[in-house]
Amino acid sequence: MANKPFNAFKLAQDQFDAVAEQLGLDQATKDFLRNPDREYHFNIPVRMDDGIVKIFRGFRVQHNDARGPCKGGIRFHPHETIDTVRALAMWMTWKCSVVDIPLGGGKGGVICDPHNLSMREQEGICRGWVRQIAQNIGPIQDVPAPDVMTSGQHMVWMMDEYEKIHGAKFPGFITGKPVNMGGSLGRTEATGYGVIYTLREALREMGTDIKFTKASFQGFGKVSQHAVKLYREYGGTPVCVSCWNQEEQKSYSFLKKDGIDIDKLLSITDRFGGINKKQAESIGYEILPGDAWIEQDVDVLVPAALENQVTEETAPKIHKNVKIMVEGANGPTTIEADKVIKERGIFVIPDFLANAGGVMCSYFEQVQCNMNYFWPKDEVLGKLDAKMTDAYLKVSALARKRKLYMRDAAYMIAIQRVAEACKMRGWV
Ligand code: GLU
């Protein structure tokens, strides 16, 4: 989608620098927080199904642990770079802080494409990743979780390897596990639901009934699927989703003006969120180019795919009726696009606030693992809703009071808390 060279870490640092300046942080704190505390780069040798050993490149970045152990997912992506992992680790620090959970920020990645790997080969990558870093991660150091193209199964393999190495059971080592393996009910839905809880609050503040709104989503993976579902349950009309087509190596948008039937669409979707084009056409979807999701005449846009999607080139295509953009993905909007959106007065619920439901529920999962006592789903989702709503209201109150852009208000709260923790520990 984007042709311009893009560096997610530069975006994360630029966003940080601007707010650090406004907050008047001292030089040491600025220098400390604009780079990760620690990072690990390593080789992961895996014997492939054809008998040949292939070396994959793995990363873990620990951005900051002043407020608690680092926390963040592991992505499997063919275009993974250390700078993307650095940015995502930094965003995790702000994410955990803005929703006020006692965790820091980390992120991991492996350069690989699970589309072309057998489950046995993926297991080899998971176990190899843990072996390389087993002394530097753990329930009280750094807790991984799923992210782009990783799932509960990957988490169980990683947990199993970690437990073998350390010779005991550590269910709190990793989150996003399947429910029968120490996972939390509600974790699968949590990120998508969190996106919609914040949207619900924003619409309520605007005095708009969600039932009279339409929304367009980018992506149809774990976040988008559940966001579409809850948005529909609340009475909204989701009209468009997009997804990556692995065969053609490009993305498509799927438009259904009278509203997406989520169960039907899921029945023709693969495990990576790829929708079958032919079948979609046969049940009434218009198949449009990948970018078309952003041009739709809707009230709400939800970029919930990857970083660098709402750019200088695509932002001007946003329809004049769009009032809110809720960022389900991490880092979907570039600095240049942010300017366009600001000028047009579109209300943004920034990524590290909007999509914090996932890590919030991961935190609940850790709490339940530590107690070895698991809550019913209603209780998990009730707690998730309460904490997401509270975090949203604090950010929107600050934005209103100080006439700030929502992203800046969220950054102010998050950075301030982390800076204070660093100061209290005597680090800066
Ligand atoms: N990968 C998710 C995120 O970007 C969840 C992280 C977690 O649960 O630790 O927020």
Side-chain angles (χ1 to χ4, degrees), residues 151-168:
S151 67
Q153 175 62 78
H154 298 96
M155 301 303 111
V156 176
W157 286 324
M158 289 185 164
M159 178 178 75
D160 187 65
E161 193 65 23
Y162 186 84
E163 291 181 342
K164 271 186 194 154
I165 293 169
H166 291 283

PDB file of all heavy atoms in Angstrom, residues 151-168:
ATOM      1  N   SER A 151      -0.379 -17.483  17.463  1.00  0.00           N
ATOM      2  CA  SER A 151      -1.652 -17.869  18.088  1.00  0.00           C
ATOM      3  C   SER A 151      -1.411 -18.559  19.428  1.00  0.00           C
ATOM      4  O   SER A 151      -0.267 -18.725  19.864  1.00  0.00           O
ATOM      5  CB  SER A 151      -2.349 -18.862  17.169  1.00  0.00           C
ATOM      6  OG  SER A 151      -1.570 -20.057  17.140  1.00  0.00           O
ATOM      7  N   GLY A 152      -2.504 -19.001  20.036  1.00  0.00           N
ATOM      8  CA  GLY A 152      -2.434 -19.734  21.300  1.00  0.00           C
ATOM      9  C   GLY A 152      -1.542 -20.958  21.202  1.00  0.00           C
ATOM     10  O   GLY A 152      -0.794 -21.271  22.135  1.00  0.00           O
ATOM     11  N   GLN A 153      -1.598 -21.647  20.082  1.00  0.00           N
ATOM     12  CA  GLN A 153      -0.751 -22.840  19.904  1.00  0.00           C
ATOM     13  C   GLN A 153       0.740 -22.460  19.996  1.00  0.00           C
ATOM     14  O   GLN A 153       1.524 -23.144  20.651  1.00  0.00           O
ATOM     15  CB  GLN A 153      -1.051 -23.503  18.553  1.00  0.00           C
ATOM     16  CG  GLN A 153      -0.140 -24.670  18.221  1.00  0.00           C
ATOM     17  CD  GLN A 153      -0.245 -25.836  19.210  1.00  0.00           C
ATOM     18  OE1 GLN A 153      -1.171 -26.621  19.170  1.00  0.00           O
ATOM     19  NE2 GLN A 153       0.723 -25.941  20.122  1.00  0.00           N
ATOM     20  N   HIS A 154       1.101 -21.365  19.344  1.00  0.00           N
ATOM     21  CA  HIS A 154       2.505 -20.928  19.431  1.00  0.00           C
ATOM     22  C   HIS A 154       2.894 -20.641  20.882  1.00  0.00           C
ATOM     23  O   HIS A 154       4.001 -20.945  21.317  1.00  0.00           O
ATOM     24  CB  HIS A 154       2.735 -19.668  18.576  1.00  0.00           C
ATOM     25  CG  HIS A 154       2.483 -19.868  17.111  1.00  0.00           C
ATOM     26  ND1 HIS A 154       1.285 -19.539  16.524  1.00  0.00           N
ATOM     27  CD2 HIS A 154       3.252 -20.376  16.130  1.00  0.00           C
ATOM     28  CE1 HIS A 154       1.342 -19.831  15.229  1.00  0.00           C
ATOM     29  NE2 HIS A 154       2.518 -20.341  14.963  1.00  0.00           N
ATOM     30  N   MET A 155       1.957 -20.053  21.630  1.00  0.00           N
ATOM     31  CA  MET A 155       2.251 -19.703  23.029  1.00  0.00           C
ATOM     32  C   MET A 155       2.478 -20.967  23.864  1.00  0.00           C
ATOM     33  O   MET A 155       3.344 -20.998  24.732  1.00  0.00           O
ATOM     34  CB  MET A 155       1.099 -18.871  23.636  1.00  0.00           C
ATOM     35  CG  MET A 155       0.806 -17.570  22.904  1.00  0.00           C
ATOM     36  SD  MET A 155       2.242 -16.463  22.780  1.00  0.00           S
ATOM     37  CE  MET A 155       2.608 -16.540  21.017  1.00  0.00           C
ATOM     38  N   VAL A 156       1.695 -22.013  23.601  1.00  0.00           N
ATOM     39  CA  VAL A 156       1.858 -23.251  24.370  1.00  0.00           C
ATOM     40  C   VAL A 156       3.216 -23.895  24.078  1.00  0.00           C
ATOM     41  O   VAL A 156       3.905 -24.345  24.990  1.00  0.00           O
ATOM     42  CB  VAL A 156       0.712 -24.244  24.076  1.00  0.00           C
ATOM     43  CG1 VAL A 156       0.950 -25.563  24.807  1.00  0.00           C
ATOM     44  CG2 VAL A 156      -0.620 -23.661  24.504  1.00  0.00           C
ATOM     45  N   TRP A 157       3.624 -23.920  22.820  1.00  0.00           N
ATOM     46  CA  TRP A 157       4.950 -24.469  22.497  1.00  0.00           C
ATOM     47  C   TRP A 157       6.037 -23.680  23.226  1.00  0.00           C
ATOM     48  O   TRP A 157       6.987 -24.247  23.757  1.00  0.00           O
ATOM     49  CB  TRP A 157       5.214 -24.404  20.977  1.00  0.00           C
ATOM     50  CG  TRP A 157       4.441 -25.410  20.178  1.00  0.00           C
ATOM     51  CD1 TRP A 157       4.123 -26.683  20.545  1.00  0.00           C
ATOM     52  CD2 TRP A 157       3.905 -25.221  18.852  1.00  0.00           C
ATOM     53  NE1 TRP A 157       3.412 -27.295  19.535  1.00  0.00           N
ATOM     54  CE2 TRP A 157       3.267 -26.435  18.481  1.00  0.00           C
ATOM     55  CE3 TRP A 157       3.903 -24.160  17.949  1.00  0.00           C
ATOM     56  CZ2 TRP A 157       2.634 -26.596  17.238  1.00  0.00           C
ATOM     57  CZ3 TRP A 157       3.281 -24.332  16.712  1.00  0.00           C
ATOM     58  CH2 TRP A 157       2.652 -25.531  16.363  1.00  0.00           C
ATOM     59  N   MET A 158       5.878 -22.366  23.238  1.00  0.00           N
ATOM     60  CA  MET A 158       6.892 -21.527  23.904  1.00  0.00           C
ATOM     61  C   MET A 158       6.906 -21.787  25.406  1.00  0.00           C
ATOM     62  O   MET A 158       7.967 -21.903  26.018  1.00  0.00           O
ATOM     63  CB  MET A 158       6.623 -20.051  23.609  1.00  0.00           C
ATOM     64  CG  MET A 158       6.927 -19.712  22.169  1.00  0.00           C
ATOM     65  SD  MET A 158       6.751 -17.955  21.842  1.00  0.00           S
ATOM     66  CE  MET A 158       7.619 -17.830  20.285  1.00  0.00           C
ATOM     67  N   MET A 159       5.716 -21.885  25.993  1.00  0.00           N
ATOM     68  CA  MET A 159       5.629 -22.159  27.434  1.00  0.00           C
ATOM     69  C   MET A 159       6.270 -23.504  27.749  1.00  0.00           C
ATOM     70  O   MET A 159       7.044 -23.630  28.705  1.00  0.00           O
ATOM     71  CB  MET A 159       4.174 -22.148  27.893  1.00  0.00           C
ATOM     72  CG  MET A 159       4.001 -22.467  29.373  1.00  0.00           C
ATOM     73  SD  MET A 159       2.284 -22.406  29.905  1.00  0.00           S
ATOM     74  CE  MET A 159       1.653 -23.938  29.207  1.00  0.00           C
ATOM     75  N   ASP A 160       5.971 -24.489  26.929  1.00  0.00           N
ATOM     76  CA  ASP A 160       6.503 -25.837  27.174  1.00  0.00           C
ATOM     77  C   ASP A 160       8.037 -25.827  27.138  1.00  0.00           C
ATOM     78  O   ASP A 160       8.695 -26.426  27.995  1.00  0.00           O
ATOM     79  CB  ASP A 160       5.940 -26.806  26.132  1.00  0.00           C
ATOM     80  CG  ASP A 160       6.325 -28.233  26.447  1.00  0.00           C
ATOM     81  OD1 ASP A 160       5.867 -28.741  27.486  1.00  0.00           O
ATOM     82  OD2 ASP A 160       7.109 -28.823  25.674  1.00  0.00           O
ATOM     83  N   GLU A 161       8.594 -25.121  26.183  1.00  0.00           N
ATOM     84  CA  GLU A 161      10.061 -25.050  26.070  1.00  0.00           C
ATOM     85  C   GLU A 161      10.650 -24.338  27.290  1.00  0.00           C
ATOM     86  O   GLU A 161      11.651 -24.783  27.851  1.00  0.00           O
ATOM     87  CB  GLU A 161      10.430 -24.309  24.768  1.00  0.00           C
ATOM     88  CG  GLU A 161      11.885 -24.426  24.378  1.00  0.00           C
ATOM     89  CD  GLU A 161      12.318 -25.844  24.016  1.00  0.00           C
ATOM     90  OE1 GLU A 161      11.459 -26.668  23.642  1.00  0.00           O
ATOM     91  OE2 GLU A 161      13.533 -26.125  24.132  1.00  0.00           O
ATOM     92  N   TYR A 162      10.007 -23.254  27.681  1.00  0.00           N
ATOM     93  CA  TYR A 162      10.485 -22.475  28.833  1.00  0.00           C
ATOM     94  C   TYR A 162      10.449 -23.337  30.103  1.00  0.00           C
ATOM     95  O   TYR A 162      11.377 -23.333  30.907  1.00  0.00           O
ATOM     96  CB  TYR A 162       9.607 -21.226  28.996  1.00  0.00           C
ATOM     97  CG  TYR A 162      10.095 -20.274  30.060  1.00  0.00           C
ATOM     98  CD1 TYR A 162      11.074 -19.324  29.783  1.00  0.00           C
ATOM     99  CD2 TYR A 162       9.579 -20.340  31.358  1.00  0.00           C
ATOM    100  CE1 TYR A 162      11.522 -18.455  30.760  1.00  0.00           C
ATOM    101  CE2 TYR A 162      10.024 -19.477  32.350  1.00  0.00           C
ATOM    102  CZ  TYR A 162      10.990 -18.535  32.039  1.00  0.00           C
ATOM    103  OH  TYR A 162      11.446 -17.677  33.022  1.00  0.00           O
ATOM    104  N   GLU A 163       9.363 -24.085  30.274  1.00  0.00           N
ATOM    105  CA  GLU A 163       9.219 -24.927  31.470  1.00  0.00           C
ATOM    106  C   GLU A 163      10.235 -26.067  31.468  1.00  0.00           C
ATOM    107  O   GLU A 163      10.770 -26.433  32.519  1.00  0.00           O
ATOM    108  CB  GLU A 163       7.781 -25.461  31.556  1.00  0.00           C
ATOM    109  CG  GLU A 163       6.791 -24.333  31.855  1.00  0.00           C
ATOM    110  CD  GLU A 163       5.342 -24.791  31.975  1.00  0.00           C
ATOM    111  OE1 GLU A 163       5.010 -25.910  31.508  1.00  0.00           O
ATOM    112  OE2 GLU A 163       4.530 -24.018  32.539  1.00  0.00           O
ATOM    113  N   LYS A 164      10.533 -26.597  30.294  1.00  0.00           N
ATOM    114  CA  LYS A 164      11.553 -27.658  30.204  1.00  0.00           C
ATOM    115  C   LYS A 164      12.905 -27.105  30.643  1.00  0.00           C
ATOM    116  O   LYS A 164      13.636 -27.736  31.393  1.00  0.00           O
ATOM    117  CB  LYS A 164      11.670 -28.141  28.752  1.00  0.00           C
ATOM    118  CG  LYS A 164      10.721 -29.261  28.413  1.00  0.00           C
ATOM    119  CD  LYS A 164      11.053 -29.736  27.005  1.00  0.00           C
ATOM    120  CE  LYS A 164       9.957 -30.596  26.447  1.00  0.00           C
ATOM    121  NZ  LYS A 164       9.919 -30.559  24.985  1.00  0.00           N
ATOM    122  N   ILE A 165      13.234 -25.917  30.164  1.00  0.00           N
ATOM    123  CA  ILE A 165      14.537 -25.316  30.477  1.00  0.00           C
ATOM    124  C   ILE A 165      14.649 -25.019  31.967  1.00  0.00           C
ATOM    125  O   ILE A 165      15.671 -25.272  32.592  1.00  0.00           O
ATOM    126  CB  ILE A 165      14.760 -24.034  29.627  1.00  0.00           C
ATOM    127  CG1 ILE A 165      14.897 -24.415  28.152  1.00  0.00           C
ATOM    128  CG2 ILE A 165      15.978 -23.242  30.111  1.00  0.00           C
ATOM    129  CD1 ILE A 165      14.850 -23.244  27.188  1.00  0.00           C
ATOM    130  N   HIS A 166      13.558 -24.489  32.562  1.00  0.00           N
ATOM    131  CA  HIS A 166      13.625 -24.053  33.957  1.00  0.00           C
ATOM    132  C   HIS A 166      13.158 -25.117  34.946  1.00  0.00           C
ATOM    133  O   HIS A 166      13.209 -24.902  36.161  1.00  0.00           O
ATOM    134  CB  HIS A 166      12.841 -22.751  34.128  1.00  0.00           C
ATOM    135  CG  HIS A 166      13.499 -21.584  33.435  1.00  0.00           C
ATOM    136  ND1 HIS A 166      14.605 -20.933  33.943  1.00  0.00           N
ATOM    137  CD2 HIS A 166      13.238 -20.992  32.254  1.00  0.00           C
ATOM    138  CE1 HIS A 166      14.975 -19.972  33.104  1.00  0.00           C
ATOM    139  NE2 HIS A 166      14.157 -19.986  32.065  1.00  0.00           N
ATOM    140  N   GLY A 167      12.684 -26.234  34.440  1.00  0.00           N
ATOM    141  CA  GLY A 167      12.351 -27.372  35.300  1.00  0.00           C
ATOM    142  C   GLY A 167      11.197 -27.160  36.252  1.00  0.00           C
ATOM    143  O   GLY A 167      11.205 -27.686  37.366  1.00  0.00           O
ATOM    144  N   ALA A 168      10.220 -26.348  35.875  1.00  0.00           N
ATOM    145  CA  ALA A 168       9.028 -26.162  36.718  1.00  0.00           C
ATOM    146  C   ALA A 168       7.913 -25.585  35.855  1.00  0.00           C
ATOM    147  O   ALA A 168       8.146 -25.261  34.683  1.00  0.00           O
ATOM    148  CB  ALA A 168       9.343 -25.214  37.878  1.00  0.00           C
TER     149      ALA A 168
END
